[in-house]
């Protein structure tokens, strides 16, 4: 594929993903949360009993679809390459702290874009912090940061994480008595599109993200380092399409799909400092991981067990955040959450330094 055709494909994929995200809200997902990797992993952790916050417990089919959609297209294009062994525990810790940052902000980089498309200006502080975090990560990349090489693994090892996702789907569809659900009206976990619609959207986005290599962190990183705008253009297309879809849906249904301002935004708070610092931690950690939470799921679907370990770190980070009061609410960040972000930034900086050639 030529560079021009590749950029066209990325723009088209981004536009379709933005529209699907808005449609998921129409079908029942929380407002400005058609897709949110951090929020959906948090809900899944609650459904599995890893935390007891009753308002955020539901196995999100979108997550399952992202992994299986990536797997299916990777197999179709002969890009399923099981590999791993590149500092797995370090990746787990990085995923853990990325999730802490996301839950202080109340959203992953994907949701940050969707919040902006819904008129939530609080996400601007998150975006500024996210870019600064990526710059911090680039500082270490330019000093030789590396988690060393990966190794080829047996196909069964690469298929294990997608198999776990398939098992979660069976639990949700066939054995709901074994998992936790948020009661109707109880919070974000009770708001969800029908299972088949959510799964189909996840499969489509997973396939598109696998084909185009979409990654918010990679887009900004490549723009800064190489003046390469293709990946970043994909997320600009997500924003533009979601914004247009929100405006159209608002006109057609009379619903609240776009509300410009700071106050009264759904599942958000107005503390600009901690919105920024939360996403600083997320961006910083994601650069050292090699991709945003969405990208980690897609790579896990391709057989990358290091990315699967990072996703497990995200999952446990979500459980930890809700078990120990680190996650923000609409009232703002907690004192414990603020301390956790500062600890996280220091921990990620130590990981960056200890794994850089110029500081060893």
């Amino acid at each position: 594929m030529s560079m021009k055709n590749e950029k066209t494909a990325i723009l088209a994929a981004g536009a379709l993903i933005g529209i699907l995200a808005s449609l998921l809200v129409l079908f029942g997902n929380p407002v400005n949360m058609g897709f949110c990797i951090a929020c959906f992993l948090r809900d899944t952790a609650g459904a599995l009993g890893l935390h007891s916050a009753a308002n955020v417990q539901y196995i999100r089919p979108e997550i399952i679809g992202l992994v299986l959609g990536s797997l299916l297209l990777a197999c179709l294009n002969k890009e399923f390459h099981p590999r791993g062994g590149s500092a797995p525990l370090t990746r787990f810790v990085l995923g853990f702290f990325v999730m802490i940052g996301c839950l202080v902000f109340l959203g992953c980089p994907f949701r940050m874009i969707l919040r902006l498309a819904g008129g939530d200006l609080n996400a601007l502080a998150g975006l500024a912090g996210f870019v600064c975090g990526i710059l911090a990560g680039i500082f270490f990349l330019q000093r030789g940061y590396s988690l060393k090489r990966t190794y080829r693994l047996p196909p069964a090892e690469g298929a294990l994480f997608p198999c776990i996702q398939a098992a979660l789907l069976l639990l949700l569809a066939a054995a709901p008595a074994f998992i936790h659900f948020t009661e109707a009206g109880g919070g974000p976990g009770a708001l969800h599109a029908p299972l088949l619609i959510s799964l189909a959207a996840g499969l489509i986005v997973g396939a598109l993200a696998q084909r185009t290599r979409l990654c918010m962190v990679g887009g900004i990183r490549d723009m800064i380092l190489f003046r390469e705008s293709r990946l970043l253009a994909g997320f600009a297309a997500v924003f533009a399409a979601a914004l247009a879809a929100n405006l159209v849906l608002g006109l057609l249904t009379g619903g609240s799909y776009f509300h410009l301002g700071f106050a009264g935004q759904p599942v958000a708070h107005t503390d600009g400092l901690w919105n920024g610092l939360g996403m600083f931690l997320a961006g910083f950690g994601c650069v050292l991981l090699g991709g945003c939470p969405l990208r980690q799921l897609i790579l896990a679907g391709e057989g990358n067990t290091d990315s699967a370990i990072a996703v497990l770190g995200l999952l446990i980070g979500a459980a930890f955040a809700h078990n120990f009061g680190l996650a923000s609410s609409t009232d703002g960040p907690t004192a414990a959450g603020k301390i956790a972000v500062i600890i996280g930034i220091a921990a990620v900086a130590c990981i960056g330094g200890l794994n850089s050639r110029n500081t060893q």
Side-chain angles (χ1 to χ4, degrees):
M1 186 185 296
S2 68
M3 291 183 64
K4 181 178 180 181
N5 289 340
E6 184 179 356
K7 189 167 185 178
T8 300
I10 290 173
L11 288 171
L16 180 55
I17 291 171
I19 293 169
L20 286 173
S22 294
L23 289 176
L24 282 173
V25 174
L26 174 67
F27 286 116
N29 278 14
V31 179
N32 294 351
M33 203 187 293
F35 273 99
C36 177
I37 309 306
C39 304
F40 290 179
L41 286 173
R42 171 205 63 198
D43 294 352
T44 299
L48 298 175
L50 299 179
H51 69 71
S52 57
N55 62 336
V56 283
Q57 295 178 326
Y58 176 64
I59 290 179
R60 290 284 180 177
E62 294 90 344
I63 295 291
I64 299 168
L66 287 169
V67 175
L68 297 184
S70 172
L71 170 69
L72 292 171
L73 200 65
C75 290
L76 184 65
N77 292 328
K78 298 182 180 180
E79 294 177 343
F80 180 72
H81 302 302
R83 57 204 185 277
S86 171
L89 190 56
T90 298
R91 292 179 185 276
F92 179 92
V93 172
L94 286 171
F96 179 94
F97 282 117
V98 166
M99 179 59 82
I100 299 301
C102 287
L103 291 183
V104 168
F105 169 71
L106 291 176
C108 67
F110 200 160
R111 185 174 186 241
M112 178 177 66
I113 297 301
L114 297 179
R115 283 175 58 174
L116 287 170
D120 183 356
L121 297 181
N122 298 296
L124 290 173
L127 179 59
F130 187 63
V131 173
C132 290
I134 291 172
L135 288 171
I138 289 173
F139 173 84
F140 289 101
L141 291 181
Q142 293 176 328
R143 279 152 184 78
Y145 171 83
S146 171
L147 293 180
K148 306 302 184 269
R149 60 166 293 185
T150 61
Y151 300 86
R152 292 181 62 183
L153 297 173
E157 186 75 15
L160 191 56
F161 188 76
C163 286
I164 292 172
Q165 299 304 308
L168 291 179
L169 181 61
L170 287 175
L171 276 176
L172 179 61
F178 288 94
I179 56 180
H180 299 271
F181 284 92
T182 301
E183 298 294 332
L191 300 173
H192 49 80
L195 190 156
L196 290 179
I197 292 176
S198 295
L199 180 62
L203 287 167
I204 293 169
V205 174
L208 290 173
Q210 194 280 332
R211 185 71 182 91
T212 60
R213 310 295 192 260
L214 272 176
C215 176
M216 183 69 176
V217 170
I220 296 174
R221 178 202 61 206
D222 290 354
M223 187 65 186
I224 293 171
L225 285 177
F226 313 116
R227 299 297 184 266
E228 173 54 62
S229 64
R230 280 176 293 175
L231 291 178
L232 190 58
F235 273 91
V238 172
F239 167 76
L243 174 60
N246 286 338
L247 294 173
V248 170
L249 288 173
L251 289 174
L252 293 177
T253 67
S256 179
Y257 294 91
F258 181 83
H259 171 60
L260 186 64
F262 292 94
Q265 297 292 345
V267 197
H269 62 79
T270 58
D271 192 322
L273 174 62
W274 291 99
N275 276 327
L277 287 175
M279 288 311 287
F280 177 93
L281 173 56
F284 192 3
C286 284
V287 171
L288 301 192
L289 273 175
C292 65
L294 170 65
R295 184 66 182 147
Q296 299 304 318
L297 284 170
I298 300 306
L299 288 171
E302 295 177 359
N304 189 320
T305 61
D306 292 333
S307 290
I309 292 295
V311 173
L312 292 179
L314 291 166
L315 189 76
I316 298 305
F320 195 94
H322 279 280
N323 282 330
F324 295 97
L326 310 183
S328 297
S329 69
T330 53
D331 294 326
T334 66
K338 295 175 182 179
I339 294 171
V341 166
I342 299 303
I343 293 173
I345 292 171
V348 172
C350 286
I351 288 172
L354 290 172
N355 290 281
S356 297
R357 286 194 299 272
N358 291 0
T359 56
Q360 290 177 353

